[in-house]
Amino acid sequence: MEYVLTGTKTESPAGSYYDKIAAYYDLTFKLNGYGRSLDQYLELHPLPVSRGAKILDAGCGTGLLTLALLRNLHFPVNITSLDLSATSITAARKAVEEGPGRTRDVSFAEGNLLSLPFADDSLDLVVTSGALEYVPLEEGMTEISRVIAPGGHLLHIPCRPSPATTFLEILFRFKKLPRKEILSQTDKHFSMVHEYRFPPLQVIGWSKTAMLARKA
């Protein structure tokens, strides 16, 4: 088996891997201040959605991005948090239920990023962090674009090349995507709204950027 857990529509080795390491993954990102950094970003750049928006957290993991959405969207929305790993979904559901946010705004689904269980043009926003690194980028972007309605948005938080990312690649068995390739695939389906660099003193900034793009 390859060390990098690249998935397809029918084979998803990352799911079973994250079933084994979900607790460790969750602890790692809680300790590094990931949630606080997301809050600061979302305060600076409010998401372009309104009451009742249909939102997908694609590759939700243990729910850190879903929780950030709940903290920063101060009106009812409909969030679906989807992941390959049943263990991660269980952890995400527990985190949402125990959090102060609007539990009823969130539903959970086990599924594949390359075969999303949504109709064409049905979502207002897709957010994803650390998931497209596990699938062929062109296929992943095409599938995400399919489900976003015209005028809807994609918030992509990819890993950027850095020593920290190289360490995470080894730890979590993914392959970072070249920025040029990400921008090229994004431009095929969306118009870039902004690319945000997290402050260098925030741990998330050692390995991540945030890209918001709009579907025409």
Side-chain angles (χ1 to χ4, degrees):
M1 182 181 70
E2 290 186 25
Y3 187 76
V4 175
L5 301 173
T6 302
T8 67
K9 286 185 178 180
T10 57
E11 295 184 3
S12 306
S16 57
Y17 181 65
Y18 273 84
D19 280 339
K20 300 174 183 176
I21 67 162
Y24 177 73
Y25 170 90
D26 188 55
L27 179 62
T28 299
F29 282 86
K30 284 180 178 176
L31 290 177
N32 73 14
Y34 185 79
R36 291 191 300 275
S37 296
L38 289 175
D39 287 344
Q40 291 178 23
Y41 165 72
L42 293 172
E43 288 171 9
L44 287 170
H45 302 281
L47 291 170
V49 295
S50 57
R51 180 182 294 266
K54 296 179 180 178
I55 301 170
L56 169 65
D57 182 357
C60 68
T62 54
L64 296 178
L65 187 47
T66 295
L67 292 169
L69 294 175
L70 289 174
R71 290 193 298 269
N72 289 278
L73 293 174
H74 304 297
F75 43 80
V77 292
N78 299 293
I79 301 171
T80 301
S81 296
L82 176 143
D83 202 272
L84 285 167
S85 165
T87 302
S88 295
I89 291 173
T90 298
R93 181 182 286 109
K94 181 180 179 182
V96 168
E97 290 173 349
E98 294 178 349
R102 303 175 306 278
T103 303
R104 64 183 179 276
D105 284 10
V106 186
S107 59
F108 296 90
E110 186 175 349
N112 189 328
L113 176 60
L114 296 178
S115 184
L116 294 171
F118 298 95
D120 295 357
D121 302 335
S122 59
L123 301 177
D124 301 296
L125 172 69
V126 173
V127 299
T128 186
S129 176
L132 285 169
E133 285 83 356
Y134 287 102
V135 300
L137 181 60
E138 183 175 5
E139 292 181 45
M141 278 289 190
T142 299
E143 179 65 357
I144 286 173
S145 175
R146 179 186 69 78
V147 301
I148 296 177
H153 289 79
L154 166 65
L155 174 61
H156 181 200
I157 305 177
C159 288
R160 64 178 184 84
S162 71
T165 295
T166 299
F167 173 74
L168 293 174
E169 282 185 291
I170 296 169
L171 190 63
F172 295 119
R173 299 179 65 179
F174 66 86
K175 184 173 179 58
K176 66 178 177 293
L177 303 167
R179 178 176 178 274
K180 184 177 181 180
E181 184 180 352
I182 294 172
L183 294 177
S184 174
Q185 291 299 325
T186 300
D187 287 345
K188 287 183 179 181
H189 305 283
F190 305 94
S191 297
M192 187 70 75
V193 176
H194 67 240
E195 182 177 2
Y196 175 82
R197 286 291 296 268
F198 291 96
L201 294 181
Q202 294 182 12
V203 175
I204 190 175
W206 301 354
S207 63
K208 294 275 192 175
T209 62
M211 299 180 179
L212 181 69
R214 182 180 183 275
K215 183 177 174 180

